[in-house]
Amino acid sequence: MKRFRMGQLYRYARPASPGLPDIDGIPNFHYIVASDGSPTLQLERGINAPSATRAVDGERLAVVLLSSNENKLGSAENPWHDTLAPDEGLARYFGDNKTPDVDPGTVSGNRTLLRQFELHTSPEKTKRELAAPILFFRSTRKGFKEFAGLGLITGAKRVTQFSDKNGGFFTNYLFDLAIISLTEEDESLAMLWIQDRRDPGREARVANAMAPKARRQWIKYGSPEIERIRRRVSRRHILPKREQVSSATSENGKTLEAVYRFYEPRRHRFEALASLACESMVRGTGAAYRRGWLTRGTGDGGLDFVGRLDIGEGLAGTKLVVLGQAKCERIDTATGGVHIARTVARLRRGWVGAYVTTSFFSEAVQREVYEDQYPVLLLNGTALANEVVKLKLAGGFANVEKFLEHVDADYEAQVSNRRPEEVLWD
């Protein structure tokens, strides 16, 4: 039986050769998706879908395939990159509008996902039966696609992005998705299910008979079931140095070098950028974050900036103090665990720490944070550079240096002697 397996790499050759099971010794994408009597499925764009199936019980879309290109992460072309985290069971995917003065809901891919959003969040079982499976693929190199999971759309909101190439600011959609478990299917997805959904002679109820167990549970019980079926893989998230340090010739590498050169003579002022980057990073995950202030350069006891995480609303909400440490350190030297320990030592019950560095975190430091369950957000140099690229473009600055000068000019106005807990009162 033809199936896609989690984490498996597939050859995506041009022109397509659907008759070959393997190409260059690697499973052939077009062979897996080939179905007699139906046009082949493609991954030529970010958002891909076949023509709607006019079935006996009404029209339905058989499947939607989302492709994310990891070769462009952190580049000037793609600073607002998609987030695919199959092991955590979540994804955030930007839509396909890139043009100013265009309603993003009218663009083909966004229009498709918005229609599916209605079905995926419907309280009616019959509509959930019609909802198209969302299949994730990511490109790690040209001509290859990795299967990254089966998703359900849980949220959609408008966001503002910037593209110098396309004429400036534009409005787009950001979609939140849950990646669901394929444990009962041995971490694989049978294409027979998709073929059945493309069969106009089958009712939606019958066409979903080959769906994964988690998907069938969701069809039966709806959105309240999502947390029970969300994919979760138990593993330590320890990143080696090579995954934290960008190439010196890449966009992120050049940006980080510019940041280090700018702040190396005035390291204590780096906290202004760190505070801004922390806010950008947290908000990029969909969480509500509010910047507070910067501390004095001396006598801060391992505290450089203060922020606040807001969770929920009204009586069902709470606020958490965020204590931040900022370190402008040599890019190629791992940050010291003693600095993170100082941040942790300042935390009170219910508070969260944040550590922002131009460097990277050793595996020993990451392991300590993980094993001791420290509530600390770690932002390494590559992640910092990515946030700087986004903020620079969003502000319309010509280059990184101009952006950093703008951030530094506001430094004194942000410094305060207030106690951290006062951020809860703002």
Side-chain angles (χ1 to χ4, degrees):
M1 183 184 295
K2 297 178 181 179
R3 27 178 96 241
F4 283 115
R5 185 168 297 280
M6 288 295 299
Q8 173 71 53
L9 204 61
Y10 295 87
R11 190 73 170 87
Y12 190 85
R14 296 187 182 92
S17 301
L20 300 176
D22 301 287
I23 297 178
D24 301 326
I26 297 174
N28 178 12
F29 172 91
H30 290 104
Y31 174 80
I32 301 293
V33 301
S35 176
D36 293 341
S38 299
T40 187
L41 299 176
Q42 302 281 351
L43 286 174
E44 297 298 313
R45 296 173 293 180
I47 303 171
N48 307 266
S51 300
T53 299
R54 296 179 178 177
V56 292
D57 59 342
E59 189 173 276
R60 65 174 179 260
L61 194 58
V63 66
V64 175
L65 293 80
L66 300 184
S67 180
S68 184
N69 191 342
E70 295 198 350
N71 293 317
K72 298 179 180 179
L73 297 190
S75 67
E77 179 182 348
N78 186 27
W80 291 275
H81 58 74
D82 309 319
T83 299
L84 291 183
D87 291 354
E88 285 80 45
L90 59 89
R92 309 194 84 211
Y93 196 89
F94 286 93
D96 59 348
N97 183 47
K98 295 182 180 179
T99 308
D101 302 320
V102 169
D103 181 350
T106 64
V107 181
S108 174
N110 283 346
R111 190 168 63 245
T112 296
L113 290 183
L114 288 171
R115 172 55 181 152
Q116 290 305 312
F117 174 56
E118 295 178 13
L119 299 176
H120 282 226
T121 55
S122 175
E124 300 177 33
K125 181 181 177 182
T126 54
K127 289 188 176 180
R128 295 196 297 272
E129 288 177 332
L130 293 174
I134 310 293
L135 274 56
F136 289 102
F137 293 87
R138 49 187 169 196
S139 301
T140 54
R141 52 193 172 117
K142 189 175 182 180
F144 297 86
K145 302 290 183 179
E146 177 190 331
F147 180 56
L150 170 65
L152 297 169
I153 304 176
T154 58
K157 64 179 180 180
R158 290 194 177 205
V159 295
T160 299
Q161 295 179 261
F162 179 88
S163 172
D164 188 49
K165 182 173 67 174
N166 292 334
F169 292 98
F170 62 93
T171 305
N172 199 8
Y173 273 96
L174 176 60
F175 298 92
D176 288 307
L177 302 99
I179 297 179
I180 64 176
S181 172
L182 295 174
T183 301
E184 297 295 324
E185 291 73 33
D186 191 28
E187 299 297 329
S188 67
L189 181 80
M191 284 304 295
L192 182 57
W193 171 36
I194 306 303
Q195 293 174 20
D196 287 348
R197 287 186 54 85
R198 299 183 78 179
D199 185 346
R202 297 175 186 263
E203 297 179 2
R205 175 181 56 83
V206 177
N208 285 316
M210 290 296 294
K213 181 180 178 181
R215 170 82 181 200
R216 285 183 276 116
Q217 285 180 239
W218 169 76
I219 290 175
K220 186 175 182 179
Y221 299 109
S223 295
E225 190 71 6
I226 288 179
E227 289 309 309
R228 291 170 58 96
I229 62 174
R230 189 186 294 271
R231 174 181 164 85
R232 291 183 175 88
V233 176
S234 178
R235 65 168 64 176
R236 292 179 178 177
H237 296 281
I238 308 296
L239 296 181
K241 178 182 177 180
R242 65 177 181 277
E243 295 184 27
Q244 300 183 69
V245 178
S246 297
S247 165
T249 59
S250 68
E251 182 76 15
N252 271 350
K254 293 176 182 177
T255 298
L256 187 58
E257 179 62 32
V259 169
Y260 181 75
R261 286 199 311 269
F262 184 88
Y263 283 107
E264 197 275 333
R266 56 192 119 180
R267 298 192 181 201
H268 70 282
R269 298 174 76 94
F270 172 65
E271 56 199 46
L273 179 66
S275 177
L276 189 62
C278 183
E279 176 190 41
S280 177
M281 182 271 292
V282 174
R283 287 191 173 183
T285 68
Y289 183 92
R290 178 169 179 171
R291 267 189 298 154
W293 53 86
L294 310 178
T295 66
R296 292 291 176 188
T298 59
D300 57 28
L303 171 63
D304 293 323
F305 64 89
V306 177
R308 192 180 79 200
L309 272 173
D310 294 347
I311 302 174
E313 295 180 352
L315 293 178
T318 190
K319 302 173 182 178
L320 303 177
V321 175
V322 177
L323 299 186
Q325 180 89 350
K327 287 294 178 183
C328 180
E329 304 169 289
R330 288 178 57 89
I331 295 172
D332 59 351
T333 303
T335 191
V338 65
H339 300 307
I340 295 178
R342 292 179 67 195
T343 303
V344 172
R346 293 293 305 272
L347 300 179
R348 298 182 186 177
R349 180 177 297 179
W351 289 13
V352 177
Y355 193 100
V356 183
T357 179
T358 52
S359 181
F360 63 96
F361 300 101
S362 69
E363 294 189 19
V365 166
Q366 295 177 70
R367 191 174 298 110
E368 181 179 358
V369 170
Y370 178 86
E371 292 178 349
D372 291 340
Q373 299 182 18
Y374 292 148
V376 180
L377 309 173
L378 302 179
L379 196 66
N380 60 40
T382 292
L384 168 67
N386 189 63
E387 299 305 325
V388 169
V389 171
K390 288 195 292 186
L391 291 166
K392 180 201 73 171
L393 292 177
F397 292 93
N399 53 53
V400 175
E401 288 75 14
K402 291 292 184 183
F403 169 70
L404 296 178
E405 290 171 3
H406 169 77
V407 173
D408 190 65
D410 193 43
Y411 174 83
E412 296 294 343
Q414 297 183 60
V415 176
S416 173
N417 286 322
R418 298 174 66 186
R419 294 174 297 160
E421 58 267 29
E422 293 183 48
V423 76
L424 300 174
W425 308 338
D426 292 344

